[in-house]
Amino acid sequence: MAWRTEEFGSCHEGEAGAVLADGSEPGPAYFDVGSGSYMPSTTEWWAYDGDGGRPVATGARAACSCGWRGTRLYPIDWAQVAEDRYHEIEGPYEDWATHIDDVEARQIPLPQDVSDLTSELEERLAKLADDAPLAALRAAAGVERATRWIASSAARQIQLDELSWSKVAEALGLTEEKARSQVLSYARRH
């Protein structure tokens, strides 16, 4: 997939997905790269040009790995694509970015002082990495130890509170599967 945020990673990867004339989304397009068992695939719009027996996409829309789909359809002009080898369809990215804004808005808010403190710590450690890299590594190791303990404690409390995985997922901006995996992984640490 083409678009990703550092915070959400694979839970919210986005792309301009192909849409066929009947409004359906085609299955993955596979590319034979020679011998071997691995065959790369994609569902991005550009792969559905009719070559190799693949269907022809008439439009593209924003798609996210979480299952969300944009509502706007952007027509594909294959003649234009043929002229401009690196042709991009701009609209789907903006639609996906709006989806990411919605995911962020549903996350549990951080207290402002904590948000400010983490931003300041990140800035100061980045500067320290430039000025004194060994000191920055020592500081980063300390931050890692603290966050491991905090994450473990928080994860165990989430389990004790018996929160639903859907609530946990929404609060963290993750899929239920990723939220469950993260909480269970943190709970086992320390």
Side-chain angles (χ1 to χ4, degrees):
M1 294 195 152
W3 314 311
R4 185 184 260 221
T5 66
E6 188 172 344
E7 181 175 6
F8 300 128
S10 64
C11 289
H12 290 286
E13 286 181 323
E15 70 179 10
V19 179
L20 303 179
D22 65 1
S24 67
E25 293 181 14
Y30 292 94
F31 303 95
D32 187 358
V33 292
S35 64
S37 61
Y38 175 71
M39 287 186 69
S41 68
T42 187
T43 53
E44 291 187 68
W45 70 272
W46 54 264
Y48 298 90
D49 58 1
D51 286 352
R54 294 186 298 268
V56 177
T58 57
R61 72 172 165 210
C64 186
S65 62
C66 72
W68 172 89
R69 296 296 184 262
T71 56
R72 288 189 281 191
L73 184 64
Y74 299 89
I76 298 171
D77 179 354
W78 287 106
Q80 176 70 30
V81 174
E83 289 178 24
D84 177 9
R85 189 174 155 194
Y86 299 103
H87 183 77
E88 288 292 326
I89 298 175
E90 297 295 324
Y93 176 79
E94 285 79 21
D95 294 348
W96 174 79
T98 299
H99 164 63
I100 294 300
D101 290 344
D102 292 342
V103 170
E104 289 173 341
R106 290 190 307 268
Q107 284 183 295
I108 191 160
L110 292 178
Q112 190 61 49
D113 63 326
V114 172
S115 181
D116 293 345
L117 186 59
T118 56
S119 294
E120 182 181 350
L121 180 61
E122 192 174 340
E123 288 173 23
R124 291 184 67 182
L125 289 179
K127 182 168 177 10
L128 189 60
D130 289 339
D131 298 342
L134 290 174
L137 280 178
R138 182 174 177 211
V143 170
E144 281 182 15
R145 284 190 301 275
T147 56
R148 270 196 312 269
W149 180 83
I150 293 163
S152 177
S153 177
R156 286 194 302 270
Q157 188 61 50
I158 288 168
Q159 289 177 312
L160 290 173
D161 291 346
E162 297 181 354
L163 296 175
S164 73
W165 290 117
S166 61
K167 280 190 174 212
V168 174
E170 185 171 307
L172 299 177
L174 304 174
T175 62
E176 285 187 39
E177 180 182 350
K178 180 67 175 175
R180 182 181 299 114
S181 173
Q182 191 176 81
V183 169
L184 295 176
S185 174
Y186 286 146
R188 286 190 295 264
R189 293 181 184 174
H190 207 288

